[in-house]
Amino acid sequence: MDIVSGQWVKCMAKRNTAQSPLTPAVLHVLLALSTGERHGYGIMKQVEADSQGKVKMGPGTLYGSIARMTEAGLVRESDRRADPEMDDERRIYYQLTGAGRTALAAELKRYRGVLAVAEGRLAHDH
Amino acid sequence: MTTNMAGRRYRTWYAMLLRLYPRPFRERFGEGMAQTFHDLYEERKGARRGLCGFALWIFCETLVGIVKENTTHMPQLGKTMVRVALGALAVLMVPLVASQFVEGWNWPAGAFVGVYVLFFGTGMVFALVARRMDAWSYKAGVGVALVAGFALGWSNMVHVADSGNSANLMYYSVLGVGAVGACLARLKARGLALTLFAMAAALALIAVTLPSGAPPYLARNMAIGHGVYTALFAASGLLFRHASLSESTQTPE
């Protein structure tokens, strides 16, 4: 399904291979899905918990990000469906792909690098 | 009971809003989004927190997503048109809201449509002309010229309607000079600089020669108005001149 232009997908793929920074929304969704499959509302709540309430994502941002991430191969729909007696069976769960895990690991590595530089600089200043 | 009705109403509105997404996106994510909205609503209701602000935030946030998804596939011109249309709508909110509070401001619906078309048209002219050159001074020159031209045309239209003095239609000749000059200059910075200086001169000439027939206290305000418009056209001309000079220094010999 051509939800996102091919150009964007290529750009995203290039970004992943080059290990460029991810957008905050994409990083938060990857992080939320790193501990398991979640549906839209579940992702939102996890993002809120991970950021200690600082990041509140609405459905527009969340599903826009999921659309792009799906096309870029970072996440995919899971086969899991909720128990109709416990939950709404129409819920769609999402999970990380291998590429998504790699992108998350690369981004965290980049963050660690930036942090190391910043800490070194601050220590030098003092 | 009332809360349930409100909830149903919000869900219906949200479902209607989701219809504005491109079809492929809606078919794939619409149900999930509606479900998520329902979950968020229930959470909010359970926490006994205000629903109106929540609904407003979600609707605005989703609206931004709708614009983004719809413009993803559009060619550049389409994107520009959507942006200008939304910008014009935002500017239209000023008279729309003001008309609710200012006594005697009772425009008919057609007037708002007309004003919107004017805002949209001016915005599109800016978007299309300003991108012809990267120089900031060119873009600023276009902006100042359009704002001044729009304000002059608008205030003159109101003045003619109020006073019935058709002699004031002379002011439209300033805009005519601008339109003809811009065509002849083919929107090049140097030609536009001359055009704007000509507009400033034409306006100054009209201000000096045209008898206003206004009482002294109004004549002073009119003189200030003329001065401001003349200065704006001249400033725009200077900006175009700056763009023209920077262009010529960058051009290899």
Side-chain angles (χ1 to χ4, degrees):
Chain A
M1 193 180 292
D2 185 30
I3 289 177
V4 180
S5 69
Q7 202 180 356
W8 191 90
V9 175
K10 274 182 210 156
C11 169
M12 191 78 185
K14 204 187 274 179
R15 283 178 68 171
N16 287 339
T17 51
Q19 299 184 349
S20 300
L22 302 172
T23 66
V26 169
L27 176 63
H28 277 294
V29 174
L30 288 178
L31 208 55
L33 290 175
S34 64
T35 51
E37 301 170 1
R38 290 180 202 284
H39 50 67
Y41 178 70
I43 296 173
M44 274 183 192
K45 297 316 292 176
Q46 190 59 46
V47 168
E48 206 176 321
D50 289 345
S51 64
Q52 281 128 35
K54 288 194 180 78
V55 177
K56 283 191 177 148
M57 211 179 264
T61 307
L62 174 67
Y63 282 91
S65 300
I66 289 178
R68 284 157 181 74
M69 293 164 77
T70 309
E71 289 298 320
L74 302 179
V75 298
R76 65 165 166 254
E77 283 182 19
S78 155
D79 295 331
R80 176 179 162 189
R81 287 291 178 269
D83 180 350
E85 286 185 12
M86 299 290 289
D87 205 346
D88 191 327
E89 61 181 325
R90 292 173 305 172
R91 283 186 197 283
I92 295 171
Y93 284 73
Y94 297 93
Q95 63 181 30
L96 276 191
T97 61
R101 276 189 197 286
T102 309
L104 179 60
E107 185 70 353
L108 296 180
K109 191 178 167 194
R110 197 185 67 81
Y111 267 68
R112 275 194 289 269
V114 172
L115 200 63
V117 170
E119 281 176 347
R121 198 159 291 167
L122 285 174
H124 185 260
D125 286 349
H126 287 115
Chain B
M1 180 71 179
T2 317
T3 321
N4 282 343
M5 272 178 65
R8 212 173 301 145
R9 199 167 56 225
Y10 284 136
R11 277 194 289 274
T12 309
W13 287 348
Y14 194 69
M16 284 164 72
L17 190 68
L18 291 179
R19 294 183 71 84
L20 297 176
Y21 269 105
R23 197 191 179 105
F25 187 98
R26 193 173 67 236
E27 283 176 355
R28 192 167 179 187
F29 298 110
E31 210 164 82
M33 291 184 79
Q35 179 69 52
T36 305
F37 176 78
H38 173 75
D39 290 338
L40 287 168
Y41 177 83
E42 289 299 318
E43 178 201 312
R44 192 86 177 187
K45 196 176 78 178
R48 296 179 184 279
R49 291 163 71 189
L51 294 171
C52 195
F54 154 78
L56 193 67
W57 171 66
I58 294 279
F59 277 59
C60 289
E61 199 267 352
T62 303
L63 201 59
V64 171
I66 288 167
V67 172
K68 210 181 266 182
E69 294 305 326
N70 276 298
T71 53
T72 300
H73 295 289
M74 273 188 184
Q76 192 54 44
L77 181 64
K79 284 184 192 177
T80 304
M81 284 178 77
V82 169
R83 284 186 197 132
V84 172
L86 289 174
L89 196 63
V91 179
L92 185 70
M93 286 296 130
V94 177
L96 204 61
V97 171
S99 67
Q100 305 298 312
F101 299 104
V102 178
E103 212 172 309
W105 191 331
N106 43 9
W107 286 359
F112 284 105
V113 175
V115 169
Y116 180 75
V117 171
L118 279 176
F119 285 157
F120 177 74
T122 310
M124 278 308 289
V125 171
F126 175 77
L128 295 175
V129 177
R131 69 180 178 195
R132 291 178 66 90
M133 252 185 99
D134 287 334
W136 69 268
S137 44
Y138 185 85
K139 292 179 196 298
V142 176
V144 172
L146 282 174
V147 167
F150 183 89
L152 178 68
W154 181 266
S155 57
N156 196 43
M157 184 180 74
V158 172
H159 188 71
V160 171
D162 285 350
S163 67
N165 184 2
S166 56
N168 283 313
L169 290 173
M170 274 292 285
Y171 287 99
Y172 284 117
S173 63
V174 177
L175 301 182
V177 168
V180 173
C183 289
L184 291 175
R186 293 184 181 177
L187 303 177
K188 291 211 167 83
R190 189 163 177 272
L192 284 177
L194 293 174
T195 302
L196 265 297
F197 290 139
M199 286 173 78
L203 182 60
L205 193 68
I206 290 172
V208 172
T209 55
L210 193 72
S212 70
Y217 72 96
L218 264 181
R220 187 173 156 269
N221 288 349
M222 282 180 72
I224 292 171
H226 286 134
V228 169
Y229 283 126
T230 307
L232 283 173
F233 287 132
S236 174
L238 287 171
L239 285 164
F240 282 125
R241 188 166 175 272
H242 182 274
S244 155
L245 290 173
S246 61
E247 186 185 35
S248 57
T249 52
Q250 280 170 15
T251 309
E253 288 179 17

